[in-house]
Amino acid sequence: MEMKQSMMSMENEGEKDKPEGSQENGLLMGDNAAEKGQKVNSGPAQVSNGYPSTSPQSPREGHTSQGNWVPGPGPLRTLVVQQTSLDPPRETWSKKMDFLLSVIGYAVDLGNVWRFPYICYQNGGGAFLLPYLLMAVFGGVPLFYMELALGQFHRSGCISIWKHICPIFKGIGFAICIIALYIAFYYNTVMAWALYYLLSSFRATLPWTTCTNPWNTVNCTHYLSTDLNVSWTNSSTSPAEEFYTRQVLQVHRSPGLHELGSVSWQLALCLLLIFTVVYFSIWKGVKTSGKVVWVTATFPYLVLFILLIRGATLPGAWRGVVFYLTPDWEKLFCASIWIDAAAQIFFSLGPGFGVLLAFASYNPFHNNCYKDALMTSSVNCLTSFLSGFVIFTVLGYMAEMRHQAVGTVAKDAGPSLLFIIYAEAIANMPAATFFAIIFFLMIIMLGLDSTFAGLEGVITAMLDEFPHLLAKRREWFVLGLVCVCYLGAISTLTYGGAFVVKLFEEYATGPAVITVVFLEVIAVSWFYGTTRFCSDVKLMLGFAPGRFWRLCWVAICPSFLLFIIGSFLAFPPEVTLFHYHYPFWTTVLGYCIGVSSFICVPAYMVYHMLTTKGTFKQRLLKGITPEVGGVDGGPHRDVIITNAV
């Protein structure tokens, strides 16, 4: 009753006795408030924003012990008082479309363009789509939905969110941040290669079309179907291949990982320009990056459609499409097709990198993240399928020109598929300069979106974990982070930098992030509990996830992730690049880099058990029990619901 009296006194006296450091807004609502869009008392002792009410309802204040209304002498109303901290409110997206484009830009990256088409034709063409869709429905999309819901409900980054879920697993957040740094060390170098190509495209004759350049060798052969006096042999190399390996990468100057050579100053300048663009796109937060993605996330689709139309009109394009889609149903009985499908959908949608948690944390509390998850994941999968047509129409054209099988032309995977095969095909088209410029612009923008997202995941995590230290120094922190990423990428800018990129891609990040996500699913589904998690979702959306989603989170998703982890252990990849076979010590080095991030999880568990007071059982129970309240002992927002007559 004292609280009610203070509220009424505040309302009557013009809020003159407001406590310092807080602000209270009173709002009287009638019985039909819920009909006007205000969600009140969604669950026991809960309010519309998901936080517990600070005082229980008593029968004397208008409720029975069962929560039913008691008739009173006058019209019964509900007084809702919102107490808001004077701390700066959490940043939010300017528009819903900013969020959607950011998520789509993050999920649709370079792997959609080069990895999916290659894996698809390697695993039976159209037959690969069946395991791909099954893995998406039962594994990828549920994980995607779970992370969006977690981030939106708890409004925290990948480190501080664990105190609301399962505190002893907080090391997962630190591991995610380290993995994101490792990815930034090599991923942006690929964009530096694309920028080098882009700058080289502003000339009438593209430099990778002729064999008369200083970097060319005697094996350089410019072979087309119209060149009747030129023959293609096993020792022949195309001008596009020599431009990529001998001019851009200069990999011929490095014998391997044991001797990387000097730093290429051209690539160093290109990477510096890339990181400059990244910094000024994310330094102010989602308000600025949300505007940049309107260009970087939509422009690639425009280019893809232009290239698809152009590719479909080339001679021999149908050969590539047939090769891409012809199903080989016998492949379904091979374990490799299911392993590749699971890994592809996981790395394509990108759960576990802290990005979805960060992006969703800036959403309004009642945003429909369920619909967002279905829409953005569908766009991602369809983009991968579309990219296959863009790539293989051109590969069919190349096969027609060389009088070779499509499989022979399409032997290269990864970046080589873009920087050698596709670059050469573009060079032999009419208006080659135009198509080269828009193609490499597309590659850069696909990469920029993912870099924005990956670094924003780290920034949000650190700012939420250390708000008093970093909240007002975001620009300086982002600058320091970008500088660390640039210095960490120096090894990838050497003559043997391509070997370093391949090492990071195969060993340092893949197994580690899958293991981290496996622990994340276990912590949420088994320790935090699907019942509690589904109640959280119901508070936000007004409906709880169905049995399908519960089953996926409890059993199918952990099995899905264990399947991928087991495949890595049972069939370790045999890595080669440009005829260089990675020796055994490089495999050990790669796994050591991966373990260096994952070690944060058990290390923090030990730290938490040692620093928590009580018996071993009490410390363990405290480690798996969500903490109540915010950082300072209470939630960021307190909404008090009481009844006034």
Side-chain angles (χ1 to χ4, degrees):
M1 295 301 294
E2 292 177 2
M3 181 176 293
K4 184 188 295 185
Q5 291 171 2
S6 64
M7 293 175 189
M8 297 180 68
S9 174
M10 172 198 68
E11 187 176 2
N12 293 333
E13 297 177 19
E15 305 179 353
K16 64 182 180 181
D17 295 323
K18 228 179 259 186
E20 194 171 337
S22 68
Q23 172 185 328
E24 296 184 349
N25 301 316
L27 176 64
L28 279 172
M29 300 189 305
D31 296 341
N32 61 344
E35 299 176 4
K36 297 180 180 179
Q38 176 70 29
K39 296 182 180 179
V40 179
N41 209 18
S42 303
Q46 296 287 336
V47 292
S48 62
N49 66 347
Y51 293 100
S53 58
T54 56
S55 60
Q57 306 295 326
S58 66
R60 294 180 61 187
E61 291 178 323
H63 282 77
T64 66
S65 59
Q66 291 79 20
N68 299 321
W69 291 101
V70 176
L76 202 57
R77 294 181 176 181
T78 300
L79 177 64
V80 178
V81 176
Q82 181 172 357
Q83 180 177 348
T84 306
S85 172
L86 281 181
D87 293 336
R90 188 172 185 84
E91 190 177 12
T92 57
W93 299 98
S94 298
K95 296 179 181 178
K96 174 67 175 288
M97 190 56 66
D98 293 357
F99 165 71
L100 294 177
L101 288 177
S102 296
V103 173
I104 291 172
Y106 160 67
V108 178
D109 63 351
L110 298 175
N112 294 74
V113 178
W114 78 47
R115 181 174 168 83
F116 178 84
Y118 175 79
I119 289 181
C120 188
Y121 90 76
Q122 191 181 44
N123 289 283
F128 176 76
L129 298 178
L130 177 61
Y132 179 76
L133 290 175
L134 288 176
M135 291 296 179
V137 170
F138 292 99
V141 177
L143 290 171
F144 197 86
Y145 177 25
M146 183 188 76
E147 285 215 351
L148 287 181
L150 283 173
Q152 183 170 304
F153 183 82
H154 296 290
R155 302 178 70 79
S156 299
C158 62
I159 298 178
S160 57
I161 194 174
W162 288 102
K163 68 175 178 285
H164 304 300
I165 299 174
C166 194
I168 202 170
F169 282 95
K170 191 175 182 178
I172 291 177
F174 292 105
I176 288 173
C177 291
I178 295 175
I179 292 171
L181 286 179
Y182 288 160
I183 294 174
F185 289 168
Y186 76 87
Y187 189 83
N188 296 281
T189 301
V190 179
M191 284 188 287
W193 301 344
L195 180 58
Y196 191 102
Y197 269 85
L198 176 64
L199 297 176
S200 302
S201 300
F202 289 94
R203 58 185 72 181
T205 302
L206 298 176
W208 57 88
T209 58
T210 62
C211 292
T212 58
N213 302 290
W215 58 82
N216 291 126
T217 65
V218 295
N219 293 324
C220 181
T221 305
H222 186 227
Y223 176 70
L224 298 174
S225 59
T226 55
D227 298 329
L228 302 178
N229 297 325
V230 178
S231 60
W232 186 270
T233 64
N234 292 331
S235 61
S236 298
T237 56
S238 67
E241 181 178 351
E242 293 199 349
F243 178 79
Y244 177 57
T245 59
R246 300 180 64 85
Q247 175 63 11
V248 180
L249 302 181
Q250 302 184 62
V251 73
H252 64 287
R253 298 189 178 186
S254 171
L257 281 171
H258 61 283
E259 188 178 339
L260 295 176
S262 304
V263 174
S264 170
W265 65 268
Q266 298 98 326
L267 292 181
L269 289 178
C270 289
L271 187 62
L272 180 62
L273 181 57
I274 291 293
F275 272 119
T276 302
V277 174
V278 169
Y279 173 73
F280 286 107
S281 298
I282 65 175
W283 69 322
K284 291 292 187 182
V286 295
K287 295 290 186 183
T288 54
S289 63
K291 298 295 180 289
V292 176
V293 294
W294 280 82
V295 177
T296 57
T298 57
F299 181 78
Y301 284 95
L302 175 63
V303 176
L304 282 175
F305 280 110
I306 292 175
L307 294 176
L308 177 62
I309 296 171
R310 183 68 187 100
T313 60
L314 295 171
W318 63 273
R319 293 178 58 188
V321 174
V322 170
F323 185 83
Y324 174 47
L325 294 179
T326 300
D328 183 0
W329 299 112
E330 293 182 358
K331 289 275 190 177
L332 293 176
F333 299 99
C334 299
S336 60
I337 186 174
W338 297 91
I339 294 171
D340 286 343
Q344 173 61 26
I345 192 62
F346 176 83
F347 288 110
S348 180
L349 291 176
F353 292 92
V355 174
L356 301 177
L357 291 173
F359 281 172
S361 71
Y362 299 113
N363 275 335
F365 185 79
H366 295 295
N367 174 65
N368 192 340
C369 58
Y370 171 70
K371 184 173 67 175
D372 296 343
L374 294 181
M375 183 177 69
T376 52
S377 56
S378 300
V379 169
N380 176 270
C381 295
L382 290 174
T383 303
S384 297
F385 188 61
L386 172 68
S387 299
F389 287 98
V390 174
I391 296 295
F392 275 93
T393 52
V394 171
L395 292 180
Y397 166 64
M398 291 296 295
E400 184 80 9
M401 290 196 303
R402 291 185 177 179
H403 296 295
Q404 293 178 324
V406 179
T408 304
V409 176
K411 63 182 178 179
D412 292 315
S416 299
L417 187 63
L418 302 180
F419 294 114
I420 297 178
I421 302 299
Y422 210 92
E424 183 178 2
I426 287 176
N428 290 287
M429 294 179 186
T433 299
F434 168 74
F435 285 108
I437 290 173
I438 65 170
F439 176 72
F440 290 113
L441 263 179
M442 178 191 73
I443 297 300
I444 293 171
M445 291 189 179
L446 284 172
L448 283 176
D449 286 335
S450 297
T451 298
F452 295 161
L455 294 184
E456 185 60 52
V458 177
I459 294 165
T460 299
M462 299 304 291
L463 264 62
D464 287 346
E465 181 64 14
F466 307 105
H468 302 295
L469 179 64
L470 301 175
K472 296 182 179 180
R473 302 178 179 90
R474 178 188 170 99
E475 292 86 353
W476 290 104
F477 174 69
V478 175
L479 179 62
L481 179 64
V482 169
C483 290
V484 168
C485 293
Y486 184 82
L487 294 176
I490 291 296
S491 62
T492 66
L493 303 175
T494 59
Y495 297 144
F499 301 134
V500 181
V501 170
K502 189 72 171 177
L503 180 73
F504 271 104
E505 184 182 9
E506 292 290 341
Y507 295 110
T509 56
V513 75
I514 294 174
T515 307
V516 164
V517 177
F518 171 73
L519 293 177
E520 178 183 324
V521 174
I522 294 298
V524 173
S525 301
W526 295 5
F527 289 90
Y528 187 70
T530 53
T531 301
R532 182 184 295 173
F533 176 57
C534 291
S535 298
D536 295 345
V537 175
K538 186 175 182 180
L539 281 173
M540 289 191 300
L541 308 184
F543 60 89
R547 293 181 180 177
F548 167 76
W549 301 105
R550 295 170 185 251
L551 179 62
C552 287
W553 291 325
V554 171
I556 298 179
C557 286
S559 303
F560 165 79
L561 294 167
L562 271 180
F563 176 69
I564 304 178
I565 295 171
S567 70
F568 271 109
L569 298 176
F571 309 103
E574 183 178 345
V575 184
T576 60
L577 183 67
F578 304 131
H579 308 295
Y580 172 71
H581 294 269
Y582 283 63
F584 177 74
W585 69 267
T586 61
T587 304
V588 175
L589 175 63
Y591 279 120
C592 287
I593 297 174
V595 171
S596 68
S597 59
F598 175 73
I599 199 68
C600 294
V601 181
Y604 186 84
M605 288 181 175
V606 174
Y607 167 78
H608 189 277
M609 293 295 291
L610 292 177
T611 56
T612 304
K613 297 180 180 180
T615 64
F616 178 81
K617 182 178 180 180
Q618 290 173 336
R619 286 180 283 179
L620 185 61
L621 288 175
K622 190 173 182 180
I624 62 176
T625 303
E627 297 179 8
V628 179
V631 179
D632 299 319
H636 295 291
R637 296 175 297 171
D638 294 320
V639 176
I640 305 167
I641 296 185
T642 186
N643 303 312
V645 178

